[in-house]
């Protein structure tokens, strides 16, 4: 089990890392600004809970295998970049009409945005390598099973990321609420968010 000191040190480091500017933050910010508060929160929670997949990989050692295989890492990196470009392209082509719909359509949209956030995070090779190098630094052999400690640390990271990304989606969504009163600006915000996604995707592909 994690000790209080171990948990406090990890949580502080995790919050600082999550709050620092990065692809996930920009994607959540762009989604909240272009689609609205609920959509930003849904996508942000998806990005956060996508960390659970990296935790599982770190626990079973698959991340180490991916890190050791240049081919596997390249395939994952290119695939993740293309997915972000695809998301961005659809946002650029949006007419802004996605904000208008029935309650059922909104719920479905929120679920889809959550899953998109999960997937975008899960296929990011940089996050895989980050978890592989970051989590083990806080594992203490004297505290028992390393796998159990990794699982607990990954869960803590996911929960704090959910809080921070949720807040980011909430506050960036205030701009989305303003867009509902100024619908003509909506398509341009969609396109701006799309450009961010495309830029991040191309950067991920180029960085390989």
């Amino acid at each position: 089990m994690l000790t209080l000191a171990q948990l406090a040190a990890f949580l502080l480091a995790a919050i600082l890392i999550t709050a620092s500017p990065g692809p996930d933050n920009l994607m959540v910010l762009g989604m909240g600004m272009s689609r609205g508060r609920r959509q930003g929160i849904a996508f942000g929670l998806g990005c956060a809970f996508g960390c659970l997949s990296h935790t599982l990989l770190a626990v079973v050692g698959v991340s180490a295998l991916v890190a050791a295989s240049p081919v596997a890492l390249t395939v994952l990196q290119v695939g993740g970049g293309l997915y972000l470009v695809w998301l961005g392209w659809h946002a650029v082509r949006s007419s802004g009409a996605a904000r208008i719909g029935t309650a059922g359509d909104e719920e479905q949209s929120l679920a889809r945005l959550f899953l998109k956030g999960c997937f975008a995070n899960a296929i990011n090779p940089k996050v895989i390598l980050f978890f592989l190098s970051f989590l083990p630094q806080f594992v203490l052999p004297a505290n028992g099973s390393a796998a159990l400690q990794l699982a607990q640390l990954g869960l803590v990271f996911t929960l704090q990321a959910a809080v921070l990304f949720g807040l980011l989606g909430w506050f960036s969504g205030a701009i989305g609420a303003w867009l509902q009163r100024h619908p003509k600006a909506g398509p341009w915000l969609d396109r701006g968010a799309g450009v961010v996604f495309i830029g991040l995707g191309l950067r991920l592909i180029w960085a390989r």
Side-chain angles (χ1 to χ4, degrees):
M1 296 296 291
L2 302 179
T3 65
L4 184 59
Q6 182 185 14
L7 177 61
F10 175 79
L11 187 57
L12 177 60
I15 291 174
L16 290 175
I17 290 171
T18 304
S20 62
D24 284 344
N25 306 62
L26 290 176
M27 287 191 292
V28 175
L29 181 62
M31 186 64 70
M33 290 177 62
S34 66
R35 297 300 180 93
R37 181 173 289 166
R38 289 188 175 186
Q39 286 76 7
I41 293 174
F43 189 83
L45 292 178
C47 287
F49 280 90
C51 294
L52 291 177
S53 65
H54 302 303
T55 300
L56 179 61
L57 290 175
V59 169
V60 301
V62 176
S63 290
L65 178 63
V66 172
S69 172
V71 175
L73 185 60
T74 297
V75 169
L76 188 62
Q77 197 161 355
V78 172
L82 290 176
Y83 177 70
L84 291 179
V85 170
W86 178 79
L87 288 179
W89 175 246
H90 280 273
V92 167
R93 296 180 60 194
S94 171
S95 63
R99 292 181 200 83
I100 304 173
T102 65
D105 291 336
E106 183 182 15
E107 290 177 3
Q108 183 180 10
S109 176
L110 293 179
R112 290 182 62 184
L113 287 172
F114 177 84
L115 292 176
K116 283 183 177 181
C118 286
F119 189 66
N121 182 280
I123 63 175
N124 190 336
K126 292 185 177 181
V127 182
I128 291 178
L129 296 178
F130 166 75
F131 266 68
L132 180 63
S133 60
F134 180 65
L135 295 187
Q137 297 182 38
F138 294 88
V139 172
L140 301 178
N143 289 354
S145 170
L148 179 58
Q149 290 184 63
L150 285 172
Q152 292 173 329
L153 291 170
L155 180 59
V156 170
F157 190 95
T158 298
L159 293 177
Q160 64 84 30
V163 172
L164 292 182
F165 286 160
L167 290 173
L168 181 59
W170 174 272
F171 287 108
S172 64
I175 300 177
W178 177 83
L179 290 175
Q180 291 183 357
R181 300 190 297 272
H182 303 81
K184 291 184 178 180
W188 292 104
L189 264 295
D190 273 347
R191 291 162 190 161
V195 169
V196 171
F197 275 64
I198 292 173
L200 290 173
L202 293 176
R203 180 182 177 185
L204 186 60
I205 295 172
W206 185 263
R208 69 187 177 88

